[in-house]
Amino acid sequence: MATSSGLAPDVQIEGGELERPAKRARLADCVTAASAGSREWAQVISAVQPAIVAIKVTFVVSFEDEQAAVAMGTGFVVDKEMGLILTNRHITGVGPVRAIAIFDRHEELEVEVIYRDPIHDFGFFRYDPSRLRYTEPAEIALEPSGLKVGAEIRVVGNDAGEKLQILSGTVARVDRNVPEFHSVYNDENTFYAGAGASTSGGSSGSPVLSLEGRAVALNAAGTEGAASAFFLPLDRVCYTLACLKRGETVQRGTCQAAFLFRAFDELMKVGLLERHEQQMRAASPTATGMLLVDAVLCEQKLLRPGDILLQLEGEVCLDFVRLESVLDAKVGGTVEMQICRGGEELTLSIAVADLHALIPRRYVELGLDIVHGLGYHAAKKTHLPLDSGVYVARTGYVFESLGCEFGSLITQVNGKPTSSLEAFVKAIQDIPDRQCFPVSWYDLRDFRRDRTMKTGFAKMSRAWSPLKIWRCEAIADVSPNHWTSEELPVPCRPPRLPDLPGRHGLLTGGDRLVRALQASLVTIRFRTDQRFCTEALESGSSEGVGLLVDAKRGLVLTDRHSAPQSLGATEVTLAGCATVDAEVFFIHPQHNIALLRCDPAAMAALQKGKVPLKSARIAGGKKAALRPGEVVHFAGFDSQGNVFSAECKVSAVYLPSGKDEFPPWTVPRFRERNLEIAVLTDTPEDARGGVLCDGRGEVRAFFASFDFQSARREHCSEETTEAFGIPANVFLPMLEAVKKSPDSTPEVRSLDVEITAVDLATLARGAGKLPQKWMQAVLQRCGQQGQVPRAICVNRVLATGASTGRLRPGDVLLSVAGKTIACALDVEEALLPPKKGAKAAPPEVVIRVLRDQREVLEYVTPSILGSEDDAELVIWAGMVLRRTPRCILERCGPSAARAGGVFVQNLLAGSPAESREMHPHCFLMEMNGVPVRALSDVLQHDQCEKQKAGEKRAPWVRLLLLDMNGQEQVRAVQPDFLFFPTLVLQRSSGMWHCIQKK
């Protein structure tokens, strides 16, 4: 029977069943003498190669200093019957992980953590041996005694992300103290071996092999920029493995002190007596030094740094092996230590604590924050008591609001000490949503330089995720780690309203304009989580200025820099004396304008408290436009939040049309277009934002902050914010629409084109004869504006928009709906709905354009656009999915016609999507061959897959993705319903709510 090359044929046996092909060992010639160093080494490595696996581990949750991420490492089978794989502790992780082992013949098996040592850098995974199909079962024996100076070794593993690398070396020393890591975790109470093996990332967990094919050590670390490699001896590994094989709990004890090995001559300088050295050398003629206490936990009151260990339980103790053997056997009891302290002999009875109990095995999840107890390693590094507070492993929406970063230690919440995780939960569980509360904390990452306690106010947020307590139910035996969660109820009481200062809170100084406008000017603070930035800056936070346009209803006009999206927290400070929550009511789909609506209850309280709030007076008619050369007054805020005014002059009002003016973003998002901005000759120094008004305080323009990105390739990641004036005639129609229909968001009619300005002289040379009436209107308008005569041309046409197939790039707009087009605002005014009582306009508008030197009439039905904001997000398998926004379609160009209705905005760290090397900013087209057109299709597919899975792990889902260049990609993702359940973020009644799909 013919077979494909490289595939073994199935063998027919009696009964008609197919027999599985026999497992074949990897051939020796796959490892050559050249790659292994010699023929003998090639044979050794070929024999053990099936036992060496590459490990792909996903840290699903940030824990201690391990951030949620995907990493590669190495492990090797030490018991093929039980399926035990030995690797490093920094590969197994401390928190929850998902991992797969890639065996010799590229077979992938899921593995589970069954043990991670609390101190030393080793741990064990377990796999199901019965699921191996083609890889010959093999294991590597452990031989700690083989680790000797001068021994020739080979480090075989997944070095630098490669499937198999062989690194040679010679053991240079076996009595090195533990290497120092710049992290919370650091090994202690063990020797390390050193060799020049040039190991690198990915080789962690590799076996250090002897010529006999046994593992003599475990590769653990290396020196960056040097050839030095550090190996962990296997003494405690063998002890742990023996316990696991017997199904016993692994006892690990500690005296809450870290020891170092020091030579006799060095010890003499800190108090060792000569007779002590003689006694040690008599007990062990090869001894060169002793153990010295290097550091102690705050809970250790008897031992001190500098104490020299003479005897342990009545016997000489010169090495770490004996020290740990005694401590592990005395967990929960005491040991007798004889020490030398400054030349004085002391005998101490030292309590032995359970090391496993000092390592965090629970964490709290709240508003995307991850908090757990202070562990042994962090307490030792910072020299703080274990009950000092709770450790912030990841800052999310709650604690990031006060400037707290990951690696911080929270000591008090709402005036209550948080000495343990239980105390933290008790202090925080009754705080209602959107309530601010005091927090005290230390920044442990900068603790060596600054040990002062910091205080601030955090803001509770329960919309992102419920308050959950996660617990690991595993014990230190062969049982796999199993994580469970408990969701705590949400308090029903509303947040407390702040005390009101009344009229006394207002500024009484300043000039006349400041006194007139300070009751209408507001400051705005927006904040969202970086993982859910859809339109916000990369940092997820921004501050800006707004204008109170309706004091009774609490409507605030601002820009999209200050309020880029509704998914987040928006706070408005009114009259400089009261801060209230606000919702993003409307985001203009075409311009850098947004409307906020302040919390009605808070606004009612402010009015009742007689806080003087006043609606701004907006100029109308001809004063709603600005002209170059006009003298106006700036009134607004400086960077310190102070209100001031200054006289300034308008230098230009023009339509940005250059390459460097509001260019497309690298990651598509809103950018300004089709807007004539006002530029000042002498912009006030340190002006943060405000308004341009006349001498009586009537607002003629909003001085807004515009976000854009440099068009230069070398600076493509640089975000820039600059302020320009938006004339009042641009946003007046929106304000009038809101005034007429207070409960409805405005609608904007659009041709779905981007326009640009072209000099009339340039146009006349290429387009031939121009329409006289139109040219006179353009000359008159540009003359009034004091600028070079320019025509309005089509620059881009949205591929799926209203003008597709009608208008073309290069078309000169002569008139729209009978209105002559002389500036960008003319296009918008021509599309405005007819006023009340006027004749209804037809759905189609007639557009007269100049194309190819002749006038052409086109009929276009404008698009009706609402607020450019999301009302729903779906998080599936760690992918943040949203309805495809217009800015993405604009970026896609001609391929926009193929684009789907669901866009992958971001990937959550440590998620199944990230583990499969997916990338954001693409379209989700299909799931298991079923088309995906809307977010509801994703939820429907998710529900079907959950019903199929039942209690088992979710099945793999085949995804068809389409990038913004029109290139298709196929990925397979296995959802993780435990750590990454399907979430729906929905907006209703102005508030966002998180719903977990069951």
Side-chain angles (χ1 to χ4, degrees):
M1 179 170 52
T3 62
S4 299
S5 176
L7 298 178
D10 291 332
V11 181
Q12 193 80 19
I13 61 173
E14 294 183 5
E17 297 180 357
L18 291 176
E19 184 183 39
R20 181 178 294 176
K23 300 176 182 178
R24 296 182 298 177
R26 189 91 170 212
L27 297 179
D29 58 5
C30 293
V31 179
T32 64
S35 63
S38 68
R39 182 173 180 82
E40 292 79 8
W41 275 112
Q43 292 174 347
V44 168
I45 294 172
S46 295
V48 301
Q49 187 174 341
I52 300 172
V53 299
I55 298 175
K56 185 177 183 179
V57 60
T58 303
F59 303 102
V60 299
V61 171
S62 298
F63 214 88
E64 286 194 335
D65 56 351
E66 294 172 349
Q67 295 301 295
V70 180
M72 291 295 295
T74 305
F76 58 99
V77 179
V78 292
D79 190 315
K80 61 184 179 182
E81 303 297 331
M82 297 181 65
L84 299 183
I85 297 174
L86 174 63
T87 187
N88 287 131
R89 179 185 188 268
H90 67 264
I91 300 298
T92 62
V94 185
V97 299
R98 300 291 193 192
I100 60 171
I102 306 171
F103 283 79
D104 180 45
R105 293 194 170 273
H106 299 279
E107 292 185 73
E108 295 185 3
L109 293 184
E110 289 187 14
V111 293
E112 300 174 305
V113 177
I114 63 166
Y115 181 82
R116 40 170 71 89
D117 196 78
I119 292 295
H120 299 320
D121 196 7
F122 75 90
F124 288 91
F125 284 110
R126 187 179 69 178
Y127 67 95
D128 184 357
S130 65
R131 297 187 60 189
L132 275 180
R133 296 174 298 168
Y134 302 109
T135 301
E136 182 68 25
E139 65 183 29
I140 299 178
L142 305 182
E143 188 181 24
S145 60
L147 187 63
K148 299 176 181 178
V149 174
E152 187 180 2
I153 50 93
R154 294 291 185 271
V155 181
V156 184
N158 180 34
D159 189 74
E162 299 294 334
K163 179 66 177 66
L164 183 69
Q165 288 291 312
I166 304 169
L167 303 175
S168 61
T170 303
V171 177
R173 57 182 302 187
V174 295
D175 59 352
R176 188 196 192 281
N177 282 312
V178 294
E180 289 288 335
F181 301 115
H182 298 292
S183 62
V184 171
Y185 168 76
N186 210 86
D187 209 336
E188 65 179 43
N189 296 345
T190 183
F191 284 124
Y192 267 69
S198 300
T199 58
S200 61
S203 65
S204 294
S206 298
V208 180
L209 297 174
S210 66
L211 192 56
E212 289 74 27
R214 298 185 178 92
V216 298
L218 180 67
N219 183 44
T223 302
E224 188 174 353
S228 301
F230 305 127
F231 308 141
L232 176 69
L234 299 178
D235 300 281
R236 286 297 94 188
V237 175
C238 291
Y239 159 76
T240 302
L241 180 59
C243 292
L244 294 178
K245 287 183 175 182
R246 294 192 299 266
E248 298 175 354
T249 300
V250 181
Q251 298 288 346
R252 295 289 279 117
T254 178
C255 59
Q256 298 179 331
F259 290 81
L260 290 179
F261 178 81
R262 289 287 183 257
F264 286 121
D265 288 348
E266 184 67 24
L267 294 174
M268 290 290 186
K269 300 172 185 177
V270 294
L272 184 70
L273 301 180
E274 187 174 348
R275 61 183 176 84
H276 293 150
E277 180 182 359
Q278 294 173 356
Q279 291 172 1
M280 299 302 131
R281 291 189 182 276
S284 177
T286 59
T288 58
M290 301 171 64
L291 301 184
L292 172 82
V293 176
D294 177 59
V296 297
L297 266 65
C298 292
E299 286 76 7
Q300 176 53 263
K301 305 299 184 183
L302 299 178
L303 291 174
R304 298 179 188 174
D307 289 348
I308 304 170
L309 181 59
L310 300 177
Q311 290 188 353
L312 182 64
E313 290 289 279
E315 296 183 9
V316 171
C317 182
L318 294 172
D319 57 54
F320 295 109
V321 176
R322 167 154 175 76
L323 173 66
E324 291 201 298
S325 298
V326 173
L327 293 178
D328 292 347
K330 294 284 188 176
V331 174
T334 60
V335 293
E336 184 180 282
M337 285 190 180
Q338 184 182 14
I339 63 169
C340 175
R341 180 180 296 167
E344 181 184 359
E345 290 187 10
L346 298 175
T347 301
L348 306 175
S349 180
I350 306 296
V352 180
D354 182 4
L355 259 177
H356 292 293
L358 304 182
I359 305 299
R361 306 303 295 141
R362 296 171 299 162
Y363 67 91
V364 168
E365 185 177 12
L366 171 66
L368 306 177
D369 297 80
I370 299 294
V371 178
H372 58 69
L374 182 64
Y376 177 92
H377 295 281
K380 184 188 72 171
K381 188 178 183 67
T382 58
H383 195 62
L384 287 173
L386 287 163
D387 60 355
S388 297
V390 290
Y391 186 91
V392 180
R394 184 186 73 188
T395 53
Y397 205 70
V398 177
F399 293 110
E400 196 176 42
S401 62
L402 51 80
C404 180
E405 298 182 349
F406 88 89
S408 297
L409 185 73
I410 296 175
T411 59
Q412 278 194 349
V413 167
N414 214 17
K416 301 175 182 177
T418 55
S419 58
S420 64
L421 204 61
E422 291 80 5
F424 172 78
V425 171
K426 189 175 181 180
I428 209 168
Q429 64 181 350
D430 292 330
I431 300 176
D433 191 26
R434 296 184 297 161
Q435 176 69 60
C436 292
F437 57 94
V439 178
S440 300
W441 81 95
Y442 291 112
D443 184 357
L444 298 188
R445 296 197 303 167
D446 198 30
F447 208 48
R448 291 183 181 272
R449 185 174 59 179
D450 183 7
R451 293 180 72 93
T452 57
M453 179 180 291
K454 299 172 177 58
T455 59
F457 293 92
K459 188 175 183 180
M460 177 58 68
S461 178
R462 299 182 181 272
W464 299 87
S465 63
L467 177 60
K468 281 185 178 182
I469 303 177
W470 290 82
R471 299 180 178 89
C472 181
E473 298 179 351
I475 55 177
D477 61 11
V478 77
S479 305
N481 287 192
H482 181 59
W483 290 84
T484 59
S485 65
E486 176 189 358
E487 186 173 324
L488 298 181
V490 178
C492 300
R493 62 188 178 92
R496 176 180 54 83
L497 293 176
D499 296 331
L500 304 176
R503 300 188 66 88
H504 301 289
L506 279 175
L507 297 172
T508 55
D511 57 26
R512 180 173 52 85
L513 277 177
V514 169
R515 292 194 296 270
L517 286 169
Q518 63 181 345
S520 302
L521 290 170
V522 305
T523 56
I524 299 166
R525 184 188 181 200
F526 172 82
R527 187 171 54 85
T528 191
D529 190 271
Q530 295 179 1
R531 287 152 284 195
F532 295 96
C533 287
T534 55
E535 293 292 336
L537 292 173
E538 206 173 290
S539 63
S541 62
S542 58
E543 295 183 354
V545 173
L547 182 68
L548 188 62
V549 295
D550 190 332
K552 185 177 181 181
R553 296 175 54 213
L555 290 182
V556 174
L557 174 72
T558 187
D559 49 56
R560 294 181 63 154
H561 166 82
S562 307
Q565 60 185 62
S566 62
L567 181 56
T570 307
E571 297 175 343
V572 175
T573 301
L574 299 150
C577 62
T579 299
V580 300
D581 292 322
E583 63 161 309
V584 179
F585 177 67
F586 179 75
I587 296 180
H588 201 287
Q590 292 180 307
H591 298 314
N592 183 30
I593 302 171
L595 268 181
L596 305 180
R597 183 162 57 190
C598 297
D599 181 18
M603 292 300 295
L606 291 176
Q607 293 167 2
K608 186 178 180 180
K610 297 184 179 180
V611 175
L613 302 176
K614 186 170 66 174
S615 301
R617 292 182 295 120
I618 311 295
K622 292 184 178 180
K623 292 189 67 177
L626 293 175
R627 295 179 57 187
E630 280 190 293
V631 176
V632 294
H633 295 269
F634 169 84
F637 296 88
D638 62 16
S639 60
Q640 301 301 315
N642 302 312
V643 185
F644 75 100
S645 69
E647 186 177 276
C648 47
K649 184 182 289 187
V650 178
S651 65
V653 179
Y654 76 103
L655 176 66
S657 302
K659 179 181 178 182
D660 294 332
E661 296 176 305
F662 306 134
W665 292 81
T666 303
V667 177
R669 50 174 289 208
F670 168 78
R671 65 183 182 90
E672 186 55 77
R673 56 202 181 277
N674 303 351
L675 173 67
E676 292 177 330
I677 59 175
V679 183
L680 301 180
T681 302
D682 42 2
T683 302
E685 188 176 354
D686 203 27
R688 180 175 160 193
V691 296
L692 303 179
C693 60
D694 59 16
R696 297 179 304 164
E698 196 171 46
V699 176
R700 300 188 61 190
F702 181 67
F703 202 60
S705 296
F706 290 76
D707 297 326
F708 59 95
Q709 200 171 40
S710 173
R712 298 180 182 276
R713 187 178 300 275
E714 60 268 25
H715 302 299
C716 63
S717 61
E718 181 181 346
E719 295 178 348
T720 305
T721 301
E722 196 168 343
F724 302 103
I726 302 178
N729 53 11
V730 175
F731 53 80
L732 267 176
M734 177 187 69
L735 298 181
E736 291 173 357
V738 173
K739 186 176 181 181
K740 292 178 182 178
S741 304
D743 298 325
S744 302
T745 57
E747 291 182 343
V748 177
R749 305 180 81 196
S750 172
L751 296 179
D752 295 331
V753 297
E754 181 179 343
I755 57 177
T756 186
V758 178
D759 290 349
L760 210 59
T762 303
L763 185 66
R765 294 183 64 183
K769 187 177 180 181
L770 301 177
Q772 192 67 27
K773 182 180 177 181
W774 168 80
M775 191 165 59
Q776 289 178 355
V778 171
L779 290 172
Q780 181 181 1
R781 197 266 176 187
C782 292
Q784 293 173 349
Q785 292 295 98
Q787 59 185 227
V788 175
R790 290 181 172 179
I792 301 301
C793 299
V794 176
N795 185 35
R796 290 188 181 93
V797 179
L798 181 62
T800 58
S803 298
T804 302
R806 301 286 192 273
L807 300 181
R808 303 175 187 174
D811 285 350
V812 180
L813 296 180
L814 303 178
S815 67
V816 175
K819 182 179 178 65
T820 301
I821 304 302
C823 63
L825 188 61
D826 288 340
V827 179
E828 296 185 25
E829 290 180 347
L831 296 175
L832 289 175
K835 295 183 179 179
K836 190 174 182 180
K839 183 179 178 181
E844 284 187 333
V845 296
V846 181
I847 302 177
R848 188 161 57 96
V849 301
L850 185 66
R851 180 187 299 161
D852 298 331
Q853 300 184 1
R854 61 190 181 92
E855 295 185 31
V856 178
L857 292 181
E858 295 288 358
Y859 297 85
V860 176
T861 302
S863 300
I864 308 299
L865 306 179
S867 179
E868 191 173 69
D869 191 24
D870 292 290
E872 182 180 40
L873 294 180
V874 172
I875 295 91
W876 180 83
M879 292 189 292
V880 180
L881 306 174
R882 64 187 294 209
R883 179 178 58 85
T884 300
R886 286 167 53 84
C887 61
I888 301 298
L889 298 178
E890 291 171 3
R891 170 67 175 275
C892 291
S895 62
R898 297 182 58 203
V902 175
F903 187 71
V904 182
Q905 180 68 30
N906 204 353
L907 303 180
L908 300 185
S911 66
E914 189 194 39
S915 70
R916 297 298 295 172
E917 300 175 358
M918 287 184 57
H919 299 284
H921 311 135
C922 60
F923 302 97
L924 178 58
M925 305 298 293
E926 293 181 3
M927 301 176 73
N928 282 342
V930 179
V932 174
R933 299 182 178 88
L935 294 175
S936 57
D937 296 334
V938 178
L939 297 177
Q940 183 177 358
H941 180 276
D942 177 70
Q943 195 63 32
C944 295
E945 293 300 323
K946 284 180 179 176
Q947 293 175 358
K948 293 178 184 177
E951 298 296 327
K952 302 177 182 178
R953 283 289 303 273
W956 289 86
V957 180
R958 187 180 70 257
L959 306 179
L960 177 63
L961 306 171
L962 183 75
D963 65 21
M964 288 186 289
N965 297 322
Q967 181 68 39
E968 291 184 347
Q969 297 177 348
V970 175
R971 292 287 187 273
V973 173
Q974 185 179 30
D976 186 344
F977 296 135
L978 178 61
F979 295 107
F980 292 91
T982 301
L983 301 176
V984 179
L985 291 171
Q986 286 182 336
R987 188 186 185 197
S988 61
S989 303
M991 298 290 294
W992 282 87
H993 305 277
C994 178
I995 304 169
Q996 180 173 328
K997 291 297 181 179
K998 306 231 173 165

